[in-house]
Amino acid sequence: MTIIWHLLFFAAVVLGYLLQLLVWLVIANAVVSWLIAFDIINLRNRTAYAVVRGLDRVVSPLLRPFRRFIPPLGGMDITPVILIVLIAAAQQTLLGPLIAWLDAMSSGAMQT
């Protein structure tokens, strides 16, 4: 039984790291889009194009549902901020207590 708790604990911790990685990818996508808009990054460069397309393929499906309902405000797209807030809220309200509970269960299971 303790192996199951440890595997669930490991999965929850990995999920937390993946969510944090996703936050950083959303931030990177927003920064890259600004750099493209100000013509600092040239998409004719193959490496830059590949990086931008890779970021866009990861982040765009997550932002698309929010972009349907939230229009750009004064030319600024605030959907990345909303996605980051939702991910942080999920980490705080769901993942944090889950990890604490699994940690308590695994240590309690080891004592018996």
Side-chain angles (χ1 to χ4, degrees), residues 3-91:
I3 295 212
I4 294 172
W5 293 118
H6 288 291
L7 286 175
L8 288 174
F9 180 77
F10 176 75
V13 170
V14 168
L15 180 62
Y17 285 131
L18 289 176
L19 288 174
Q20 194 61 40
L21 175 66
L22 185 61
V23 166
W24 285 108
L25 289 175
V26 169
I27 292 170
N29 190 34
V31 169
V32 165
S33 71
W34 294 336
L35 293 175
I36 291 170
F38 291 118
D39 204 24
I40 295 172
I41 292 180
N42 188 352
L43 289 181
R44 289 186 294 252
N45 182 340
R46 289 183 186 198
T47 306
Y49 181 79
V51 169
V52 170
R53 286 295 132 217
L55 277 172
D56 206 36
R57 286 183 181 153
V58 171
V59 175
S60 284
L62 299 170
L63 294 175
R64 194 173 301 126
F66 300 110
R67 286 181 176 155
R68 281 189 218 144
F69 300 109
I70 303 170
L73 301 175
M76 289 286 296
D77 184 16
I78 63 165
T79 55
V81 175
I82 293 171
L83 181 62
I84 290 171
V85 167
L86 287 176
I87 291 171
Q91 284 178 318

